[in-house]
Amino acid sequence: MIAHQLSIFLENKPGRLEKVTAVLKDKGINIRAMTLATSTAGWGILNLIVDRPQEACRHLSETGHPAVLREIVVVRMADRPGALHDMLVLLANAGINVQNAYGTVLGDGQTAILIIDVEHTEHARQLFTAAGVATLTAEEVYCV
Amino acid sequence: MYWNPHIEQADLPTLRALQAQRLRDTIAHAERSPFYGALFAKCGISTDSIRSVEDIRRLPFTTKEDLRSHFPYGFLTVDKKDTVRLHCSSGTTGNPTVIFHNRHDLDSWSNLVARSLYCAGVRDTDVFQNICGYGLFTGGLGFQYGAERLGALVIPAAAGNTTRQIRLMQDFATTAVHTIPSYLFRLHTAFAEMGLDPARDTALRLFVIGAEPHTEEQRRRIEDLFGVKAFNSYGLSEMNGPGVAFECTCQNGLHVWEDCFLTEIVHPQTLEPVVEGEVGELVFTTLDRQAMPLVRYRTRDLTRFLPGTCPCGRNHRRIDRISGRTDDMFIVKGCNIFPMQIEKILMRFAQVGTDYLILLQTRNGVDEITIQVEMQAAWFTGDLAALEKLARQIVHEVRDEILVTPTVQLVEPGSLPKSEGKAVRVRDERQA
Ligand SMILES: [Zn+2]
């Protein structure tokens, strides 16, 4: 299964983030990773990796938060200098625009992963596979 | 084609000459009232002051406050026994305003409404359902008399009871409806709830809408929902009510009936005429009212004259739909701005709602304008770049319209203060 991140529209105001986390907490949804991309004009997009994204998205929408699921590509980061750079070059050479990329550590506390938000996820996945970089499944990302 | 062909098709010199003659008559009537008698004496004005319509500028303005402070009989030019009807406003603050009519006035008004309806395409074969308040409100009796004069079959349906309205439409095969635009949206929902399609299950072919500010986009939406043409009506109780200006079948602005209303558009602060085509405050002088003529009455409604001539052949000038009230206007960096101008732009973007808030603030001694607009959840894709592009586009189009660069803030759906009756559209937090 293809992994998804949860993207939520958020006003840059005190208490907004807490409103979102309160909904998730209420439903027992676990947040694995989080980034906040903000615009200068006072709003932003909160990107979350959670254990039950479909459910989370539904609850957030029902409580009035504009939320969508975005397909992502997740790869295991090799533990060597320049590993991140190599992967980004791979995408750049293929003309794939990276909207957002952020790292986190899987549940084992050992494996570093890179979450990449690109427009053409399938194309990116094929590139990584061809280059011998394994992409992670949804189950691996959400639950490990 | 025309209800009053000689008047509607009159060439401009004829129309102006008629206006000048009627203006003199109006002054002669008006000076018999306590209010204008005293005012004209003080300003040294008589019928001799008027040689052409341009001389209107020598006359003083009349305001709503004048009407209020001379309530009820201060503007009456005839004996009370010669009046036959009055309409008055609710007067939520202070005295109400009241307008008296004699027989001539009611006859003239009915003719204007008949002319207006005819101009929008209503005929004596139509079944005309008048969905608006009767009683003191002028839209009820005004359209009733006008549509009867035209010869249509009129259903005095009055306001409310949507199920009964739909029933009436079906029982009597209503073809034309007059109502306020917001009611048509409610009506459409009711049709849907009853499993009816107005295009299939009614004989509707024409709407007349007015008495409530609305945008061109809202009109088009109404037309799309019902598959029915909607024509804009403009009037105000001080100028009788409906029948002051009306759209013809070209739908390109509202012809003001200049034989009955001498029309000016002035700058709301300087009271000088605006450059032709610029937005300003509408000012009317009645030209065919005897019991209670009004001279240079400031409507507080904002609009502009539309340039050019209308293909329909009427020489009566056209005004744009009302773009707001002088009370709503605000000034930023020397530009006069009306909330409706901004609303008009926002309606072009499906990604944002029509709820918005205009914030005026002072930053480093400079006035700044911020527009907060609600993001529509259905259009959210999680793409920050797309949202930034959207905000830039809104900034760009608003700047082209108001000539000041705003900041556009997208906010969460439902987070802006909701209107209770009148919407909160502008919050002025500037230091004086
Ligand atoms: Zn026309």
Side-chain angles (χ1 to χ4, degrees):
Chain A
M1 209 170 80
I2 292 161
H4 286 89
Q5 74 179 11
L6 187 58
S7 295
I8 303 140
F9 178 82
L10 213 59
E11 263 178 79
N12 209 349
K13 273 190 196 162
R16 299 288 162 167
L17 186 57
E18 285 84 333
K19 271 183 163 176
V20 171
T21 51
V23 172
L24 300 180
K25 185 185 171 198
D26 188 46
K27 300 292 171 187
I29 289 162
N30 202 353
I31 299 172
R32 301 273 176 203
M34 175 174 109
T35 61
L36 184 61
T38 56
S39 151
T40 49
W43 75 82
I45 294 176
L46 176 69
N47 295 303
L48 298 179
I49 301 293
V50 298
D51 54 356
R52 281 144 37 222
Q54 274 81 10
E55 212 186 309
C57 189
R58 199 178 66 239
H59 289 308
L60 285 169
S61 299
E62 280 168 6
T63 48
H65 302 274
V68 287
L69 291 176
R70 280 173 76 85
E71 230 177 77
I72 46 170
V73 179
V74 183
V75 291
R76 199 169 265 121
M77 290 267 277
D79 187 17
R80 60 169 174 82
L84 175 61
H85 175 76
D86 293 349
M87 280 187 263
L88 294 179
V89 165
L90 204 62
L91 295 173
N93 287 345
I96 295 177
N97 196 18
V98 177
Q99 305 258 14
N100 193 11
Y102 49 103
T104 189
V105 176
L106 287 185
D108 61 5
Q110 306 288 322
T111 321
I113 60 168
L114 179 68
I115 296 150
I116 311 165
D117 181 356
V118 292
E119 219 168 283
H120 307 287
T121 46
E122 189 46 45
H123 189 185
R125 251 189 302 275
Q126 283 166 5
L127 282 174
F128 284 127
T129 311
V133 179
T135 55
L136 276 68
T137 64
E139 291 75 9
E140 288 173 295
V141 178
Y142 304 154
C143 306
V144 176
Chain B
M1 271 296 278
Y2 307 102
W3 179 253
N4 300 124
H6 296 302
I7 296 236
E8 290 175 65
Q9 283 181 294
D11 58 25
L12 283 181
T14 310
L15 199 53
R16 297 290 168 255
L18 176 69
Q19 287 183 311
Q21 177 54 47
R22 286 187 168 184
L23 181 57
R24 275 191 292 275
D25 295 345
T26 295
I27 301 304
H29 275 289
E31 54 189 14
R32 291 175 207 152
S33 73
F35 176 81
Y36 285 119
L39 185 65
F40 291 171
K42 199 179 91 190
C43 308
I45 287 159
S46 69
T47 47
D48 296 337
S49 315
I50 306 297
R51 304 208 179 283
S52 74
V53 286
E54 280 72 37
D55 292 329
I56 186 78
R57 292 184 56 193
R58 299 160 176 242
L59 303 178
F61 289 94
T62 307
T63 62
K64 199 175 190 79
E65 288 66 43
D66 294 328
L67 291 180
R68 286 210 175 109
S69 55
H70 294 81
F71 177 87
Y73 301 123
F75 282 81
L76 204 54
T77 67
V78 296
D79 197 286
K80 214 175 99 190
K81 84 168 188 30
D82 293 324
T83 57
V84 293
R85 192 188 311 160
L86 68 80
H87 282 281
C88 73
S89 71
S90 53
T92 43
T93 53
N95 278 337
T97 55
V98 59
I99 301 292
F100 295 94
H101 301 277
N102 67 9
R103 277 182 215 289
H104 168 86
D105 298 337
L106 283 191
D107 185 66
S108 171
W109 178 20
S110 303
N111 180 62
L112 283 176
V113 176
R115 186 199 292 174
S116 300
L117 290 170
Y118 197 88
C119 151
V122 181
R123 292 296 178 266
D124 60 3
T125 45
D126 275 303
V127 177
F128 185 88
Q129 190 163 331
N130 192 19
I131 309 182
C132 78
Y134 276 64
L136 290 173
F137 177 63
T138 56
L141 290 178
F143 274 105
Q144 180 74 31
Y145 276 56
E148 282 178 7
R149 171 73 65 94
L150 180 83
L153 170 58
V154 190
I155 308 176
N161 199 339
T162 306
T163 315
R164 197 189 56 184
Q165 298 286 358
I166 292 176
R167 182 74 201 274
L168 285 168
M169 280 178 203
Q170 294 193 302
D171 285 349
F172 302 109
T174 300
T175 53
V177 164
H178 161 249
T179 192
I180 53 173
S182 60
Y183 187 72
L184 287 173
F185 289 109
R186 206 156 93 220
L187 194 64
H188 190 265
T189 311
F191 268 112
E193 282 166 5
M194 292 165 77
L196 297 171
D197 171 6
R200 187 193 62 210
D201 302 312
T202 72
L204 290 173
R205 67 173 197 91
L206 190 153
F207 289 144
V208 169
I209 52 176
E212 191 180 65
H214 61 283
T215 58
E216 181 62 22
E217 285 80 359
Q218 282 167 311
R219 182 249 288 274
R220 293 298 168 206
R221 205 170 290 167
I222 287 169
E223 293 190 327
D224 289 346
L225 281 176
F226 286 88
V228 167
K229 284 274 176 206
F231 298 92
N232 210 344
S233 150
Y234 172 75
L236 62 160
S237 58
E238 297 88 335
M239 296 293 126
N240 304 336
V244 176
F246 228 85
E247 266 185 334
C248 67
T249 49
C250 302
Q251 287 189 323
N252 55 358
L254 298 87
H255 291 282
V256 189
W257 303 126
E258 294 192 82
D259 56 315
C260 292
F261 302 100
L262 186 57
T263 311
E264 302 170 84
I265 295 182
V266 303
H267 189 286
Q269 270 100 39
T270 66
L271 301 181
E272 291 298 316
V274 296
V275 176
E276 185 89 10
E278 267 184 20
V279 172
E281 181 177 352
L282 258 179
V283 173
F284 288 121
T285 301
T286 60
L287 292 179
D288 193 29
R289 210 159 70 181
Q290 297 174 349
M292 193 167 160
L294 290 180
V295 175
R296 301 195 91 190
Y297 182 73
R298 294 184 58 187
T299 64
R300 303 195 220 181
D301 282 332
L302 296 162
T303 187
R304 63 190 180 109
F305 280 123
L306 294 171
T309 54
C310 186
C312 76
R314 292 176 180 87
N315 283 319
H316 298 244
R317 279 181 293 179
R318 288 165 302 130
I319 53 169
D320 206 350
R321 63 180 58 244
I322 302 303
S323 61
R325 304 271 300 160
T326 52
D327 319 296
D328 302 332
M329 189 187 79
F330 55 93
I331 302 175
V332 175
K333 293 175 182 165
C335 295
N336 296 341
I337 302 168
F338 312 107
M340 287 283 276
Q341 289 177 284
I342 291 168
E343 184 169 335
K344 187 177 81 184
I345 305 293
L346 295 178
M347 294 221 38
R348 293 183 196 156
F349 294 90
Q351 301 94 322
V352 297
T354 46
D355 284 311
Y356 63 91
L357 182 67
I358 298 165
L359 271 174
L360 306 175
Q361 289 159 324
T362 315
R363 274 191 217 112
N364 308 321
V366 179
D367 284 354
E368 299 279 349
I369 171 167
T370 301
I371 303 166
Q372 294 188 334
V373 60
E374 289 183 5
M375 180 60 222
Q376 292 292 86
W379 290 87
F380 179 66
T381 62
D383 187 341
L384 186 71
L387 286 186
E388 287 184 322
K389 191 174 156 210
L390 170 69
R392 275 199 307 275
Q393 275 176 335
I394 297 175
V395 167
H396 193 83
E397 294 201 19
V398 169
R399 187 189 53 211
D400 284 352
E401 171 74 28
I402 66 172
L403 308 175
V404 176
T405 306
T407 302
V408 168
Q409 275 179 359
L410 300 177
V411 300
E412 290 164 29
S415 66
L416 291 178
K418 280 293 166 295
S419 54
E420 278 172 25
K422 201 174 178 220
V424 184
R425 295 305 200 189
V426 183
R427 188 183 295 159
D428 198 338
E429 299 174 352
R430 292 178 289 190
Q431 292 104 42

